[in-house]
Amino acid sequence: MAFQILAGPGGVGRRFTYLSPNCEALTGVPAEAALADPAKLYDQILPEHRDAFVRAEAEALAGDGRLDIEVRMRRADGEVRWRRIASLGRSLADGGSLWDGLMSDVTELKLGAEELEAQRRRLEVAVESTGLGFWEWDVRSGQLTWSERNKAIFGLPADAPVTIEAYMAMIHPDDVDRVRKAYADARDRPGGGDFGFQYRAVVPNGQIRWILTRGRVVTDEAGPAMVVGTTLDTTDRREAEERRNLVMGELAHRAKNGIQVMTAIISETARSAESVKGFEELLVARLQAMAQSQDLVTAAGGRPVPLHELAAQALGPFGLARFDIEPAIAELTVNGDVAAGLALLLHEMATNAVKYGALSRPEGRIALNADGAGPGMAALNWRERGGPRVEPSNRRGFGSRLLQAALRNQGGKVEPAFDPDGFSARMEFRVSG
């Protein structure tokens, strides 16, 4: 419907000077009635839209005179429709204004847009329920649109503005080139293409997050037009994978060390056994000592093992009352590999002390004290007194060979001494912390 409106200064005396014949078909009001009383059309604008219409008129007059607004209006028969009112106003010499314009029905377009927006929102909610953020980039206008979930993934508030430049600035410098290449490869394919990549993002609080992005480049005859996609925060998954790989590596390492230790136990036990029964008893005792030390390591849950607890468990079967253990040992802790080797070594030396050394006599005693051994290292001194006279020996015993095998990569070592008044040994090993 075409129209012309004449208004006096300040909008007073507003009236239609022309209305096209289809006025009644569009509004339900005959043109003659609206020409006589303009309120019959103005009052059709719903109350909640009137203030916006008045502001649009004022802004048009204060600017270039162009008015373009969509409002809801109630026809004479009560039906509510969406109208687009586009007009050009110009000021007159007396302070009034003259408006030429068109009013058209845009109800179907408006309802279609609302339905599309509702569908888009439902899709966005469905996507975000999976933990995904949704985004789209208008390549030609440069406008970047992120869903609230997508902003949250990057540590941004829901109302934060986003630009392609700000997004690229959050990508870790080491990953920028890879991200650009993945997009360029998809953009340069005929008809556009899909892309996907994982990269690190540095969010505003300085935290590094691992991001998985999948997208599609939409093109037309003029080239790339739109890029749409999703974002998933994979930081927790990535860290879980790294922890799992670390655990698997640690298990493999411990299994390898365990096999080396068991091989040494079996080989040395076979050499020293005088009968099958003796071999069995000695092997079982040594394997039990190894198992008990491993129980202690397992109970620690991967944390360092206190040395005094280790010594108490390894030497407990021999009667702790006959051991003088220095309190300073309580300050030392060792990791799992060192703990297993030390426990087995202490058990072996105590066994030898029962057979040949201080523990073979009622008055015999064994002292254990801690000593320094360089950065990151400590030493445990074993000293026997009150046993039979000791004869020097060049034989490299099971205990020293065992510790060397268990700590081959940790720098541990044993220095035995066969003093006439009692066997002693200095055990150096790496401490935790």
Side-chain angles (χ1 to χ4, degrees), residues 231-351:
T231 299
L232 179 65
D233 187 338
T234 60
T235 305
D236 292 343
R237 180 195 303 174
R238 185 93 180 193
E239 291 177 350
E241 289 175 354
E242 291 177 354
R243 287 194 298 270
R244 183 170 62 250
N245 291 336
L246 181 64
V247 170
M248 292 300 293
E250 179 67 13
L251 287 175
H253 174 69
R254 286 176 181 261
K256 182 179 179 180
N257 280 352
I259 291 172
Q260 290 177 334
V261 171
M262 291 180 66
T263 300
I265 290 174
I266 295 171
S267 177
E268 188 62 27
T269 304
R271 278 196 200 98
S272 59
E274 297 179 354
S275 65
V276 174
K277 183 64 174 176
F279 171 78
E280 178 187 359
E281 292 176 352
L282 192 55
L283 178 61
V284 169
R286 287 171 172 172
L287 290 179
Q288 284 178 341
M290 182 179 176
Q292 290 170 354
S293 67
Q294 191 59 47
D295 287 343
L296 186 61
V297 172
T298 302
R303 298 184 299 275
V305 178
L307 188 56
H308 71 281
E309 292 184 15
L310 178 70
Q313 182 156 332
L315 301 176
F318 302 92
L320 290 178
R322 302 188 66 182
F323 290 87
D324 300 317
I325 301 177
E326 183 185 42
I329 292 177
E331 300 175 5
L332 300 176
T333 57
V334 294
N335 64 26
D337 285 340
V338 176
L342 275 175
L344 197 55
L345 178 63
L346 291 173
H347 178 275
E348 186 64 24
M349 289 196 298
T351 299

Side-chain angles (χ1 to χ4, degrees), residues 1 40 43 47 135 169 182 246 250 259 268 270 303 321 373 382 419:
M1 180 190 75
K40 291 185 178 296
D43 288 349
W135 55 268
L246 181 64
E250 179 67 13
I259 291 172
E268 188 62 27
R303 298 184 299 275
W382 173 285
D419 299 327

Side-chain angles (χ1 to χ4, degrees), residues 1-3 5 16 19-20 22 26-27 41 44-46 49 53 56 66-75 80-88 100-111:
M1 180 190 75
F3 64 84
I5 299 174
F16 289 105
L19 286 169
S20 61
N22 63 339
L26 192 67
T27 67
L41 293 188
Q44 286 190 354
I45 300 175
L46 297 188
H49 286 208
F53 183 80
R66 297 178 184 274
L67 180 149
D68 194 340
I69 188 173
E70 293 178 351
V71 295
R72 296 179 73 196
M73 300 179 65
R74 189 182 305 277
R75 283 171 43 93
V80 175
R81 307 287 292 180
W82 276 97
R83 311 295 191 192
R84 180 184 179 190
I85 301 174
S87 181
L88 180 63
D100 295 297
L102 294 170
M103 183 171 71
S104 55
D105 190 308
V106 293
T107 304
E108 280 69 28
L109 289 175
K110 196 73 174 179
L111 293 176

Side-chain angles (χ1 to χ4, degrees), residues 12-188:
V12 177
R14 186 193 311 262
R15 62 185 177 86
F16 289 105
T17 59
Y18 173 77
L19 286 169
S20 61
N22 63 339
C23 175
E24 185 172 5
L26 192 67
T27 67
V29 177
E32 297 78 7
L35 287 168
D37 183 4
K40 291 185 178 296
L41 293 188
Y42 273 96
D43 288 349
Q44 286 190 354
I45 300 175
L46 297 188
E48 60 266 27
H49 286 208
R50 289 175 187 169
D51 287 344
F53 183 80
V54 172
R55 285 196 302 271
E57 276 189 325
E59 291 170 0
L61 284 176
D64 60 4
R66 297 178 184 274
L67 180 149
D68 194 340
I69 188 173
E70 293 178 351
V71 295
R72 296 179 73 196
M73 300 179 65
R74 189 182 305 277
R75 283 171 43 93
D77 58 9
E79 183 183 4
V80 175
R81 307 287 292 180
W82 276 97
R83 311 295 191 192
R84 180 184 179 190
I85 301 174
S87 181
L88 180 63
R90 58 187 183 276
S91 299
L92 301 178
D94 63 357
S97 58
L98 184 67
W99 300 82
D100 295 297
L102 294 170
M103 183 171 71
S104 55
D105 190 308
V106 293
T107 304
E108 280 69 28
L109 289 175
K110 196 73 174 179
L111 293 176
E114 290 176 351
E115 176 59 24
L116 285 176
E117 175 61 22
Q119 291 179 1
R120 187 197 69 80
R121 185 57 187 165
R122 287 195 294 269
L123 176 60
E124 184 176 303
V125 171
V127 169
E128 292 193 352
S129 67
T130 66
L132 295 169
F134 181 79
W135 55 268
E136 61 181 44
W137 175 38
D138 188 322
V139 179
R140 290 166 189 166
S141 70
Q143 182 178 0
L144 182 63
T145 304
W146 281 8
S147 68
E148 291 185 8
R149 174 61 182 167
N150 208 71
K151 291 180 181 181
I153 288 174
F154 286 86
L156 299 175
D159 59 350
V162 289
T163 64
I164 193 66
E165 292 79 16
Y167 163 65
M168 293 301 297
M170 286 191 288
I171 298 175
H172 193 283
D174 294 343
D175 295 339
V176 170
D177 290 343
R178 186 161 51 83
V179 170
R180 291 185 184 277
K181 184 178 185 305
Y183 164 69
D185 289 346
R187 177 198 61 197
D188 296 341

